[in-house]
Short mmCIF file of all heavy atoms in Angstrom, two decimals:
data_model
loop_
_atom_site.label_atom_id
_atom_site.label_comp_id
_atom_site.label_asym_id
_atom_site.label_seq_id
_atom_site.Cartn_x
_atom_site.Cartn_y
_atom_site.Cartn_z
N MET A 1404 51.06 134.71 51.02
CA MET A 1404 51.17 133.95 52.14
C MET A 1404 49.86 133.98 52.99
O MET A 1404 49.13 134.88 52.97
CB MET A 1404 52.32 134.53 53.09
CG MET A 1404 52.43 133.90 54.46
SD MET A 1404 53.74 134.62 55.48
CE MET A 1404 55.11 133.70 54.82
N ASP A 1405 49.61 132.95 53.69
CA ASP A 1405 48.36 132.79 54.40
C ASP A 1405 48.42 133.76 55.52
O ASP A 1405 49.33 133.90 56.26
CB ASP A 1405 48.43 131.37 55.01
CG ASP A 1405 47.11 130.98 55.73
OD1 ASP A 1405 46.24 131.88 55.79
OD2 ASP A 1405 47.07 129.85 56.33
N GLU A 1406 47.26 134.52 55.73
CA GLU A 1406 47.14 135.56 56.70
C GLU A 1406 47.41 135.05 58.13
O GLU A 1406 47.94 135.72 58.92
CB GLU A 1406 45.69 136.21 56.65
CG GLU A 1406 45.57 137.19 55.45
CD GLU A 1406 46.58 138.33 55.56
OE1 GLU A 1406 46.73 138.94 56.66
OE2 GLU A 1406 47.18 138.76 54.48
N GLU A 1407 46.92 133.84 58.44
CA GLU A 1407 47.11 133.25 59.75
C GLU A 1407 48.61 133.10 60.10
O GLU A 1407 48.99 133.07 61.19
CB GLU A 1407 46.42 131.96 59.92
CG GLU A 1407 44.84 132.10 59.98
CD GLU A 1407 44.20 130.88 60.11
OE1 GLU A 1407 44.84 129.84 60.52
OE2 GLU A 1407 42.99 130.76 59.93
N ARG A 1408 49.45 132.91 59.12
CA ARG A 1408 50.88 132.64 59.33
C ARG A 1408 51.74 133.84 59.23
O ARG A 1408 52.86 133.92 59.42
CB ARG A 1408 51.35 131.54 58.37
CG ARG A 1408 50.94 130.21 58.65
CD ARG A 1408 51.53 129.17 57.74
NE ARG A 1408 52.99 129.41 57.83
CZ ARG A 1408 53.92 128.45 57.73
NH1 ARG A 1408 53.61 127.26 57.81
NH2 ARG A 1408 55.23 128.82 57.77
N ARG A 1409 51.06 135.05 58.92
CA ARG A 1409 51.87 136.25 58.73
C ARG A 1409 52.57 136.72 60.03
O ARG A 1409 51.95 136.52 61.13
CB ARG A 1409 50.90 137.36 58.37
CG ARG A 1409 51.51 138.35 57.40
CD ARG A 1409 50.65 139.31 56.88
NE ARG A 1409 51.43 139.81 55.75
CZ ARG A 1409 51.24 139.43 54.51
NH1 ARG A 1409 50.30 138.51 54.18
NH2 ARG A 1409 51.92 139.85 53.47
N ILE A 1410 53.80 137.08 59.97
CA ILE A 1410 54.49 137.48 61.15
C ILE A 1410 55.10 138.89 60.96
O ILE A 1410 55.24 139.36 59.83
CB ILE A 1410 55.61 136.47 61.39
CG1 ILE A 1410 56.54 136.28 60.22
CG2 ILE A 1410 55.16 135.23 61.95
CD1 ILE A 1410 57.80 135.41 60.44
N PRO A 1411 55.37 139.61 62.02
CA PRO A 1411 55.90 140.89 61.94
C PRO A 1411 57.41 140.88 61.36
O PRO A 1411 58.06 139.86 61.45
CB PRO A 1411 55.89 141.52 63.29
CG PRO A 1411 55.72 140.31 64.20
CD PRO A 1411 55.12 139.14 63.44
N PRO A 1412 57.80 141.99 60.84
CA PRO A 1412 59.12 142.07 60.21
C PRO A 1412 60.22 141.60 61.23
O PRO A 1412 61.13 140.92 60.72
CB PRO A 1412 59.37 143.53 59.85
CG PRO A 1412 57.90 144.01 59.57
CD PRO A 1412 57.08 143.28 60.56
N PHE A 1413 60.29 141.94 62.42
CA PHE A 1413 61.32 141.51 63.31
C PHE A 1413 61.29 139.92 63.51
O PHE A 1413 62.35 139.42 63.55
CB PHE A 1413 61.29 142.24 64.73
CG PHE A 1413 60.20 141.62 65.62
CD1 PHE A 1413 60.51 140.57 66.51
CD2 PHE A 1413 58.90 142.08 65.69
CE1 PHE A 1413 59.58 140.12 67.41
CE2 PHE A 1413 57.95 141.65 66.52
CZ PHE A 1413 58.33 140.69 67.41
N ALA A 1414 60.15 139.33 63.28
CA ALA A 1414 60.20 137.84 63.47
C ALA A 1414 60.62 137.21 62.14
O ALA A 1414 61.24 136.29 62.14
CB ALA A 1414 58.76 137.38 63.78
N GLU A 1415 60.33 137.95 60.97
CA GLU A 1415 60.84 137.55 59.73
C GLU A 1415 62.35 137.55 59.74
O GLU A 1415 63.03 136.67 59.26
CB GLU A 1415 60.30 138.35 58.60
CG GLU A 1415 58.99 138.14 58.28
CD GLU A 1415 58.42 139.00 57.16
OE1 GLU A 1415 59.17 139.80 56.50
OE2 GLU A 1415 57.16 138.92 56.83
N ASP A 1416 62.95 138.64 60.31
CA ASP A 1416 64.41 138.83 60.44
C ASP A 1416 64.93 137.70 61.26
O ASP A 1416 65.99 137.10 60.96
CB ASP A 1416 64.79 140.11 61.08
CG ASP A 1416 64.48 141.28 60.15
OD1 ASP A 1416 64.24 141.09 58.94
OD2 ASP A 1416 64.46 142.41 60.65
N THR A 1417 64.27 137.35 62.37
CA THR A 1417 64.71 136.24 63.25
C THR A 1417 64.67 134.91 62.50
O THR A 1417 65.63 134.14 62.73
CB THR A 1417 63.78 136.22 64.47
OG1 THR A 1417 63.82 137.52 65.09
CG2 THR A 1417 64.20 135.15 65.48
N LEU A 1418 63.65 134.71 61.79
CA LEU A 1418 63.56 133.50 61.04
C LEU A 1418 64.71 133.31 60.08
O LEU A 1418 65.36 132.22 59.96
CB LEU A 1418 62.18 133.26 60.33
CG LEU A 1418 61.97 131.99 59.57
CD1 LEU A 1418 62.15 130.82 60.44
CD2 LEU A 1418 60.65 132.04 58.81
N ALA A 1419 65.07 134.35 59.36
CA ALA A 1419 66.16 134.40 58.43
C ALA A 1419 67.50 134.11 59.18
O ALA A 1419 68.31 133.25 58.65
CB ALA A 1419 66.22 135.72 57.67
N LEU A 1420 67.70 134.67 60.27
CA LEU A 1420 68.86 134.43 61.13
C LEU A 1420 69.03 133.02 61.55
O LEU A 1420 70.04 132.36 61.50
CB LEU A 1420 68.91 135.30 62.40
CG LEU A 1420 69.14 136.82 62.25
CD1 LEU A 1420 68.91 137.52 63.53
CD2 LEU A 1420 70.66 137.03 61.88
N LEU A 1421 67.93 132.45 61.99
CA LEU A 1421 67.83 131.00 62.51
C LEU A 1421 68.05 130.07 61.36
O LEU A 1421 68.88 129.17 61.49
CB LEU A 1421 66.55 130.78 63.21
CG LEU A 1421 66.33 131.50 64.53
CD1 LEU A 1421 64.93 131.15 64.98
CD2 LEU A 1421 67.32 131.11 65.51
N THR A 1422 67.43 130.37 60.19
CA THR A 1422 67.54 129.46 59.08
C THR A 1422 68.99 129.44 58.56
O THR A 1422 69.53 128.35 58.25
CB THR A 1422 66.61 129.94 57.87
OG1 THR A 1422 65.20 129.91 58.50
CG2 THR A 1422 66.69 128.96 56.71
N GLU A 1423 69.59 130.59 58.47
CA GLU A 1423 71.04 130.70 58.07
C GLU A 1423 71.93 129.99 58.99
O GLU A 1423 72.80 129.22 58.68
CB GLU A 1423 71.41 132.15 57.87
CG GLU A 1423 72.85 132.28 57.38
CD GLU A 1423 73.26 133.76 57.22
OE1 GLU A 1423 72.36 134.60 56.88
OE2 GLU A 1423 74.40 133.99 57.45
N ALA A 1424 71.70 130.20 60.35
CA ALA A 1424 72.50 129.59 61.35
C ALA A 1424 72.34 128.04 61.39
O ALA A 1424 73.34 127.30 61.69
CB ALA A 1424 72.30 130.15 62.78
N ALA A 1425 71.17 127.59 61.09
CA ALA A 1425 70.91 126.15 61.09
C ALA A 1425 71.34 125.53 59.86
O ALA A 1425 71.32 124.26 59.81
CB ALA A 1425 69.43 125.89 61.45
N GLY A 1426 71.54 126.16 58.76
CA GLY A 1426 71.92 125.62 57.58
C GLY A 1426 70.73 125.25 56.65
O GLY A 1426 70.82 124.53 55.70
N GLY A 1427 69.52 125.84 56.92
CA GLY A 1427 68.42 125.69 56.08
C GLY A 1427 67.15 125.20 56.84
O GLY A 1427 67.18 124.92 57.96
N THR A 1428 66.06 125.09 56.08
CA THR A 1428 64.85 124.47 56.77
C THR A 1428 65.01 123.06 56.96
O THR A 1428 65.84 122.44 56.38
CB THR A 1428 63.57 124.73 55.96
OG1 THR A 1428 63.79 124.11 54.67
CG2 THR A 1428 63.34 126.24 55.70
N GLY A 1429 64.31 122.65 58.00
CA GLY A 1429 64.37 121.10 58.32
C GLY A 1429 65.59 120.88 59.30
O GLY A 1429 65.66 119.73 59.78
N GLU A 1430 66.34 121.87 59.67
CA GLU A 1430 67.54 121.77 60.42
C GLU A 1430 67.19 122.28 61.88
O GLU A 1430 66.18 122.75 62.09
CB GLU A 1430 68.69 122.44 59.83
CG GLU A 1430 69.11 121.98 58.46
CD GLU A 1430 69.44 120.53 58.40
OE1 GLU A 1430 70.10 120.04 59.33
OE2 GLU A 1430 69.10 119.90 57.36
N ALA A 1431 68.17 122.11 62.71
CA ALA A 1431 67.90 122.45 64.15
C ALA A 1431 69.21 123.25 64.77
O ALA A 1431 70.28 123.02 64.30
CB ALA A 1431 67.56 121.27 64.98
N LEU A 1432 68.89 123.98 65.85
CA LEU A 1432 69.89 124.60 66.65
C LEU A 1432 69.57 124.32 68.07
O LEU A 1432 68.38 124.25 68.39
CB LEU A 1432 69.87 126.14 66.40
CG LEU A 1432 70.34 126.77 65.15
CD1 LEU A 1432 69.98 128.24 65.17
CD2 LEU A 1432 71.82 126.58 65.02
N PRO A 1433 70.61 124.19 68.88
CA PRO A 1433 70.22 124.09 70.30
C PRO A 1433 69.56 125.34 70.72
O PRO A 1433 69.86 126.45 70.24
CB PRO A 1433 71.70 124.02 71.01
CG PRO A 1433 72.57 123.38 69.90
CD PRO A 1433 72.00 123.93 68.60
N ARG A 1434 68.63 125.28 71.64
CA ARG A 1434 67.81 126.47 72.04
C ARG A 1434 68.68 127.60 72.49
O ARG A 1434 68.46 128.67 72.10
CB ARG A 1434 66.84 126.01 73.09
CG ARG A 1434 65.73 127.08 73.43
CD ARG A 1434 64.78 126.57 74.40
NE ARG A 1434 63.73 127.60 74.48
CZ ARG A 1434 62.41 127.27 74.53
NH1 ARG A 1434 62.07 126.04 74.39
NH2 ARG A 1434 61.62 128.22 74.56
N ASP A 1435 69.67 127.32 73.30
CA ASP A 1435 70.60 128.44 73.77
C ASP A 1435 71.34 129.04 72.68
O ASP A 1435 71.49 130.29 72.63
CB ASP A 1435 71.61 127.81 74.79
CG ASP A 1435 70.87 127.44 76.13
OD1 ASP A 1435 69.88 127.88 76.41
OD2 ASP A 1435 71.61 126.63 76.89
N GLU A 1436 71.78 128.26 71.61
CA GLU A 1436 72.60 128.74 70.53
C GLU A 1436 71.60 129.71 69.64
O GLU A 1436 71.97 130.73 69.17
CB GLU A 1436 73.14 127.66 69.72
CG GLU A 1436 73.96 128.19 68.58
CD GLU A 1436 74.61 126.97 67.71
OE1 GLU A 1436 74.91 125.96 68.32
OE2 GLU A 1436 74.82 127.21 66.54
N ALA A 1437 70.31 129.23 69.58
CA ALA A 1437 69.39 130.03 68.79
C ALA A 1437 69.16 131.38 69.34
O ALA A 1437 69.12 132.44 68.72
CB ALA A 1437 68.03 129.32 68.64
N SER A 1438 69.05 131.39 70.80
CA SER A 1438 68.88 132.67 71.45
C SER A 1438 70.15 133.56 71.28
O SER A 1438 70.01 134.78 71.08
CB SER A 1438 68.64 132.38 72.95
OG SER A 1438 68.28 133.57 73.54
N ASP A 1439 71.33 132.90 71.31
CA ASP A 1439 72.65 133.76 71.15
C ASP A 1439 72.66 134.29 69.67
O ASP A 1439 73.09 135.44 69.56
CB ASP A 1439 73.77 132.76 71.38
CG ASP A 1439 74.09 132.43 72.83
OD1 ASP A 1439 73.37 133.19 73.69
OD2 ASP A 1439 74.75 131.59 73.11
N VAL A 1440 72.20 133.51 68.74
CA VAL A 1440 72.32 133.96 67.32
C VAL A 1440 71.43 135.23 67.25
O VAL A 1440 71.69 136.25 66.69
CB VAL A 1440 71.77 132.88 66.39
CG1 VAL A 1440 71.45 133.44 64.95
CG2 VAL A 1440 72.83 131.82 66.20
N ILE A 1441 70.19 135.20 67.87
CA ILE A 1441 69.26 136.30 67.69
C ILE A 1441 69.72 137.57 68.48
O ILE A 1441 69.77 138.69 67.98
CB ILE A 1441 67.89 135.82 68.31
CG1 ILE A 1441 67.28 134.81 67.51
CG2 ILE A 1441 66.95 137.06 68.36
CD1 ILE A 1441 66.11 134.03 68.11
N THR A 1442 70.29 137.28 69.74
CA THR A 1442 70.66 138.39 70.50
C THR A 1442 72.01 139.05 70.00
O THR A 1442 72.38 140.21 70.39
CB THR A 1442 70.81 138.19 71.99
OG1 THR A 1442 71.67 137.07 72.20
CG2 THR A 1442 69.47 137.80 72.59
N ASN A 1443 72.81 138.32 69.29
CA ASN A 1443 74.02 138.81 68.68
C ASN A 1443 73.76 139.94 67.69
O ASN A 1443 74.65 140.75 67.29
CB ASN A 1443 74.86 137.78 68.04
CG ASN A 1443 75.70 137.03 69.08
OD1 ASN A 1443 75.88 137.50 70.19
ND2 ASN A 1443 76.04 135.80 68.82
N VAL A 1444 72.52 140.06 67.20
CA VAL A 1444 72.17 141.18 66.27
C VAL A 1444 71.82 142.36 67.24
O VAL A 1444 70.93 142.17 68.06
CB VAL A 1444 70.98 140.86 65.39
CG1 VAL A 1444 70.49 142.04 64.60
CG2 VAL A 1444 71.33 139.68 64.50
N GLU A 1445 72.46 143.43 67.07
CA GLU A 1445 72.41 144.54 68.03
C GLU A 1445 70.92 145.02 68.44
O GLU A 1445 70.74 145.39 69.53
CB GLU A 1445 73.16 145.76 67.51
CG GLU A 1445 74.62 145.59 67.62
CD GLU A 1445 75.30 146.77 67.16
OE1 GLU A 1445 74.89 147.97 67.42
OE2 GLU A 1445 76.47 146.66 66.62
N ARG A 1446 69.98 144.97 67.49
CA ARG A 1446 68.69 145.51 67.79
C ARG A 1446 67.83 144.51 68.58
O ARG A 1446 66.71 144.77 68.92
CB ARG A 1446 67.95 146.04 66.54
CG ARG A 1446 67.72 144.89 65.56
CD ARG A 1446 67.06 145.56 64.36
NE ARG A 1446 66.63 144.51 63.37
CZ ARG A 1446 67.37 143.90 62.43
NH1 ARG A 1446 68.62 144.40 62.33
NH2 ARG A 1446 66.93 143.12 61.67
N PHE A 1447 68.34 143.25 68.90
CA PHE A 1447 67.47 142.30 69.58
C PHE A 1447 68.04 142.17 71.03
O PHE A 1447 69.17 141.89 71.24
CB PHE A 1447 67.65 140.91 68.95
CG PHE A 1447 66.84 140.83 67.64
CD1 PHE A 1447 67.47 140.68 66.43
CD2 PHE A 1447 65.37 140.76 67.63
CE1 PHE A 1447 66.80 140.72 65.27
CE2 PHE A 1447 64.79 140.64 66.41
CZ PHE A 1447 65.36 140.55 65.29
N THR A 1448 67.05 142.36 71.97
CA THR A 1448 67.37 142.05 73.38
C THR A 1448 66.96 140.58 73.63
O THR A 1448 66.31 139.92 72.75
CB THR A 1448 66.56 143.03 74.28
OG1 THR A 1448 65.15 142.66 74.13
CG2 THR A 1448 66.84 144.47 73.98
N GLU A 1449 67.16 140.10 74.76
CA GLU A 1449 66.72 138.75 75.19
C GLU A 1449 65.30 138.72 75.09
O GLU A 1449 64.71 137.66 74.63
CB GLU A 1449 67.28 138.36 76.49
CG GLU A 1449 66.94 136.88 76.94
CD GLU A 1449 67.51 135.86 76.00
OE1 GLU A 1449 68.62 136.04 75.51
OE2 GLU A 1449 66.89 134.80 75.77
N ALA A 1450 64.59 139.69 75.58
CA ALA A 1450 63.14 139.70 75.55
C ALA A 1450 62.55 139.69 74.07
O ALA A 1450 61.58 138.95 73.81
CB ALA A 1450 62.55 140.94 76.30
N ASP A 1451 63.34 140.44 73.19
CA ASP A 1451 62.84 140.47 71.79
C ASP A 1451 63.07 139.03 71.17
O ASP A 1451 62.32 138.61 70.34
CB ASP A 1451 63.75 141.40 70.95
CG ASP A 1451 63.49 142.89 71.28
OD1 ASP A 1451 62.49 143.21 71.73
OD2 ASP A 1451 64.45 143.69 71.01
N ALA A 1452 64.17 138.41 71.58
CA ALA A 1452 64.46 137.08 71.02
C ALA A 1452 63.39 136.14 71.47
O ALA A 1452 62.84 135.34 70.67
CB ALA A 1452 65.82 136.60 71.50
N GLN A 1453 62.99 136.06 72.77
CA GLN A 1453 62.03 135.24 73.25
C GLN A 1453 60.69 135.52 72.53
O GLN A 1453 59.87 134.55 72.24
CB GLN A 1453 61.91 135.28 74.75
CG GLN A 1453 63.22 134.76 75.46
CD GLN A 1453 63.55 133.45 74.95
OE1 GLN A 1453 62.82 132.47 74.92
NE2 GLN A 1453 64.87 133.29 74.68
N ASP A 1454 60.26 136.78 72.41
CA ASP A 1454 59.08 137.21 71.73
C ASP A 1454 59.09 136.62 70.30
O ASP A 1454 58.10 136.05 69.81
CB ASP A 1454 58.85 138.66 71.79
CG ASP A 1454 57.51 139.13 71.16
OD1 ASP A 1454 56.42 138.41 71.36
OD2 ASP A 1454 57.46 140.20 70.54
N ALA A 1455 60.15 136.85 69.58
CA ALA A 1455 60.10 136.46 68.18
C ALA A 1455 60.06 134.88 68.12
O ALA A 1455 59.34 134.30 67.30
CB ALA A 1455 61.54 136.85 67.46
N LEU A 1456 60.80 134.15 69.01
CA LEU A 1456 60.64 132.71 69.03
C LEU A 1456 59.23 132.22 69.31
O LEU A 1456 58.74 131.35 68.66
CB LEU A 1456 61.67 132.15 70.04
CG LEU A 1456 63.12 132.13 69.74
CD1 LEU A 1456 63.94 131.75 70.86
CD2 LEU A 1456 63.45 131.38 68.43
N ALA A 1457 58.60 132.87 70.21
CA ALA A 1457 57.18 132.55 70.57
C ALA A 1457 56.26 132.78 69.34
O ALA A 1457 55.42 131.93 69.02
CB ALA A 1457 56.70 133.29 71.78
N ARG A 1458 56.47 133.95 68.69
CA ARG A 1458 55.62 134.21 67.52
C ARG A 1458 55.90 133.19 66.43
O ARG A 1458 54.94 132.76 65.80
CB ARG A 1458 55.89 135.65 66.96
CG ARG A 1458 55.27 136.67 67.98
CD ARG A 1458 55.69 138.14 67.42
NE ARG A 1458 55.29 139.06 68.41
CZ ARG A 1458 54.30 139.92 68.27
NH1 ARG A 1458 53.54 139.94 67.11
NH2 ARG A 1458 54.05 140.79 69.14
N LEU A 1459 57.19 132.93 66.18
CA LEU A 1459 57.49 131.88 65.16
C LEU A 1459 56.90 130.61 65.43
O LEU A 1459 56.34 129.84 64.56
CB LEU A 1459 58.95 131.83 64.91
CG LEU A 1459 59.62 133.09 64.37
CD1 LEU A 1459 61.17 132.94 64.39
CD2 LEU A 1459 59.15 133.28 62.88
N GLU A 1460 57.01 130.21 66.69
CA GLU A 1460 56.44 128.88 67.07
C GLU A 1460 54.93 128.84 66.90
O GLU A 1460 54.26 127.94 66.38
CB GLU A 1460 56.81 128.58 68.53
CG GLU A 1460 56.21 127.20 68.92
CD GLU A 1460 56.53 126.82 70.35
OE1 GLU A 1460 56.56 127.72 71.21
OE2 GLU A 1460 56.59 125.63 70.65
N SER A 1461 54.21 129.93 67.35
CA SER A 1461 52.71 129.91 67.41
C SER A 1461 52.26 129.94 65.93
O SER A 1461 51.12 129.63 65.66
CB SER A 1461 52.23 131.18 68.08
OG SER A 1461 52.46 132.39 67.38
N ARG A 1462 52.96 130.45 64.95
CA ARG A 1462 52.62 130.49 63.54
C ARG A 1462 53.15 129.32 62.77
O ARG A 1462 52.90 129.15 61.52
CB ARG A 1462 53.13 131.74 62.88
CG ARG A 1462 52.60 133.07 63.50
CD ARG A 1462 51.07 133.26 63.38
NE ARG A 1462 50.50 134.48 63.53
CZ ARG A 1462 50.75 135.39 64.47
NH1 ARG A 1462 51.68 135.39 65.23
NH2 ARG A 1462 50.02 136.56 64.46
N GLY A 1463 53.87 128.38 63.38
CA GLY A 1463 54.32 127.16 62.77
C GLY A 1463 55.64 127.30 61.95
O GLY A 1463 55.99 126.41 61.27
N TYR A 1464 56.29 128.36 62.13
CA TYR A 1464 57.62 128.49 61.34
C TYR A 1464 58.69 127.68 62.05
O TYR A 1464 59.62 127.32 61.36
CB TYR A 1464 57.98 129.96 61.29
CG TYR A 1464 57.10 130.69 60.35
CD1 TYR A 1464 56.05 131.46 60.82
CD2 TYR A 1464 57.42 130.78 59.03
CE1 TYR A 1464 55.20 132.18 59.90
CE2 TYR A 1464 56.67 131.45 58.11
CZ TYR A 1464 55.57 132.22 58.58
OH TYR A 1464 54.79 132.90 57.73
N ILE A 1465 58.67 127.54 63.33
CA ILE A 1465 59.59 126.70 64.14
C ILE A 1465 58.77 125.86 65.10
O ILE A 1465 57.73 126.11 65.30
CB ILE A 1465 60.65 127.54 64.84
CG1 ILE A 1465 59.94 128.44 65.92
CG2 ILE A 1465 61.45 128.49 63.94
CD1 ILE A 1465 60.88 129.15 66.92
N TYR A 1466 59.57 124.88 65.68
CA TYR A 1466 59.04 124.08 66.75
C TYR A 1466 60.11 123.70 67.65
O TYR A 1466 61.32 123.72 67.23
CB TYR A 1466 58.18 122.89 66.29
CG TYR A 1466 58.92 121.90 65.40
CD1 TYR A 1466 59.40 120.74 66.02
CD2 TYR A 1466 59.14 122.15 64.06
CE1 TYR A 1466 60.09 119.82 65.20
CE2 TYR A 1466 59.76 121.19 63.23
CZ TYR A 1466 60.26 120.02 63.91
OH TYR A 1466 60.92 119.10 63.08
N PHE A 1467 59.89 123.28 68.80
CA PHE A 1467 60.88 122.91 69.84
C PHE A 1467 60.85 121.48 70.07
O PHE A 1467 59.68 120.97 70.27
CB PHE A 1467 60.67 123.72 71.12
CG PHE A 1467 60.81 125.25 70.98
CD1 PHE A 1467 59.63 126.05 71.05
CD2 PHE A 1467 62.10 125.81 70.92
CE1 PHE A 1467 59.74 127.34 70.88
CE2 PHE A 1467 62.14 127.13 70.74
CZ PHE A 1467 60.96 127.93 70.71
N ALA A 1468 61.96 120.78 70.06
CA ALA A 1468 62.00 119.35 70.35
C ALA A 1468 63.36 119.06 71.04
O ALA A 1468 64.40 119.41 70.39
CB ALA A 1468 61.88 118.52 69.03
N ASP A 1469 63.35 118.39 72.11
CA ASP A 1469 64.63 117.99 72.77
C ASP A 1469 65.61 119.23 72.94
O ASP A 1469 66.73 119.08 72.58
CB ASP A 1469 65.23 116.86 72.00
CG ASP A 1469 64.40 115.65 71.96
OD1 ASP A 1469 63.74 115.31 72.89
OD2 ASP A 1469 64.33 114.95 70.93
N GLU A 1470 65.07 120.29 73.45
CA GLU A 1470 65.97 121.48 73.74
C GLU A 1470 66.51 121.99 72.34
O GLU A 1470 67.61 122.66 72.41
CB GLU A 1470 67.00 121.28 74.73
CG GLU A 1470 66.46 120.99 76.09
CD GLU A 1470 65.63 122.11 76.60
OE1 GLU A 1470 66.17 123.31 76.53
OE2 GLU A 1470 64.51 121.91 77.12
N GLN A 1471 65.93 121.69 71.25
CA GLN A 1471 66.36 122.20 69.95
C GLN A 1471 65.32 123.08 69.31
O GLN A 1471 64.11 122.81 69.51
CB GLN A 1471 66.61 121.02 69.03
CG GLN A 1471 67.61 119.98 69.40
CD GLN A 1471 69.05 120.38 69.05
OE1 GLN A 1471 69.32 120.86 67.97
NE2 GLN A 1471 69.93 120.24 70.08
N VAL A 1472 65.76 124.08 68.65
CA VAL A 1472 64.91 124.92 67.81
C VAL A 1472 64.86 124.32 66.42
O VAL A 1472 66.01 124.28 65.82
CB VAL A 1472 65.16 126.37 67.84
CG1 VAL A 1472 64.27 127.16 66.93
CG2 VAL A 1472 65.17 126.95 69.26
N ARG A 1473 63.87 123.90 65.92
CA ARG A 1473 63.83 123.26 64.60
C ARG A 1473 63.00 124.22 63.67
O ARG A 1473 61.98 124.65 63.88
CB ARG A 1473 63.19 121.85 64.58
CG ARG A 1473 63.93 120.88 65.43
CD ARG A 1473 63.59 119.44 65.21
NE ARG A 1473 64.39 118.66 66.05
CZ ARG A 1473 65.52 118.02 65.76
NH1 ARG A 1473 65.95 118.25 64.54
NH2 ARG A 1473 66.14 117.34 66.49
N ILE A 1474 63.56 124.34 62.43
CA ILE A 1474 62.95 125.17 61.42
C ILE A 1474 62.00 124.25 60.63
O ILE A 1474 62.34 123.20 60.10
CB ILE A 1474 64.02 125.75 60.39
CG1 ILE A 1474 65.17 126.40 61.16
CG2 ILE A 1474 63.38 126.75 59.47
CD1 ILE A 1474 64.84 127.57 62.05
N THR A 1475 60.77 124.67 60.58
CA THR A 1475 59.73 123.87 59.98
C THR A 1475 60.02 123.85 58.44
O THR A 1475 60.16 125.02 57.84
CB THR A 1475 58.32 124.48 60.28
OG1 THR A 1475 58.10 124.44 61.62
CG2 THR A 1475 57.23 123.60 59.54
N PRO A 1476 60.10 122.73 57.85
CA PRO A 1476 60.26 122.65 56.40
C PRO A 1476 59.15 123.31 55.66
O PRO A 1476 57.91 123.26 56.04
CB PRO A 1476 60.30 121.21 56.02
CG PRO A 1476 60.71 120.53 57.28
CD PRO A 1476 60.04 121.38 58.39
N THR A 1477 59.37 124.03 54.56
CA THR A 1477 58.34 124.59 53.68
C THR A 1477 58.35 123.95 52.28
O THR A 1477 59.26 123.30 51.91
CB THR A 1477 58.54 126.11 53.57
OG1 THR A 1477 59.82 126.27 52.78
CG2 THR A 1477 58.54 126.70 54.85
N ASP A 1478 57.28 124.27 51.60
CA ASP A 1478 57.20 123.72 50.18
C ASP A 1478 57.93 124.68 49.25
O ASP A 1478 58.00 124.32 48.09
CB ASP A 1478 55.70 123.64 49.75
CG ASP A 1478 54.90 122.67 50.54
OD1 ASP A 1478 55.55 121.68 51.11
OD2 ASP A 1478 53.70 122.76 50.57
N GLU A 1479 58.43 125.77 49.68
CA GLU A 1479 59.11 126.75 48.81
C GLU A 1479 60.46 126.29 48.43
O GLU A 1479 61.23 125.72 49.11
CB GLU A 1479 59.17 128.13 49.50
CG GLU A 1479 57.79 128.65 49.80
CD GLU A 1479 57.81 129.92 50.52
OE1 GLU A 1479 58.88 130.47 50.88
OE2 GLU A 1479 56.77 130.46 50.79
#
C-alpha cells in the first residue's frame, strides 16, 4: 500500500465497518448513519468516529457528498 494512504488500525476497522454497512465500495451511507455504525462498536466514542472519518477522508478512502459518506472505489 502507498505510504501516503496508510491509516492506523482503528481507521482500518472503521473503513471495514462502513464498507460492510454500505454494501461495498462505491456505495454510500447517510452521514448520521455512518456515525451510528461506528459508535455502535463499543470501543468507538463519537470523537473516535469523527477522527476516523477525518483520517479516512484525508487519505482518500472516503469522501462526503450531499450529506452522504461515500466509500471510494478501489482497484482491488
Side-chain angles (χ1 to χ4, degrees):
M1404 176 179 273
D1405 184 0
E1406 284 296 318
E1407 288 182 16
R1408 285 188 49 139
R1409 217 175 196 96
I1410 54 176
F1413 78 93
E1415 287 179 5
D1416 292 346
T1417 302
L1418 181 60
L1420 288 170
L1421 294 174
T1422 301
E1423 183 178 328
T1428 59
E1430 302 299 321
L1432 287 171
R1434 192 176 186 134
D1435 291 340
E1436 185 178 330
S1438 188
D1439 288 345
V1440 166
I1441 297 166
T1442 57
N1443 282 336
V1444 174
E1445 288 182 32
R1446 66 182 184 271
F1447 287 106
T1448 65
E1449 183 62 32
D1451 292 335
Q1453 295 308 311
D1454 184 38
L1456 289 171
R1458 287 176 190 250
L1459 291 170
E1460 181 184 29
S1461 73
R1462 297 299 194 321
Y1464 288 94
I1465 64 170
Y1466 60 99
F1467 299 104
D1469 300 324
E1470 293 301 311
Q1471 301 276 315
V1472 175
R1473 298 192 180 269
I1474 311 299
T1475 305
T1477 63
D1478 295 337
E1479 297 173 3

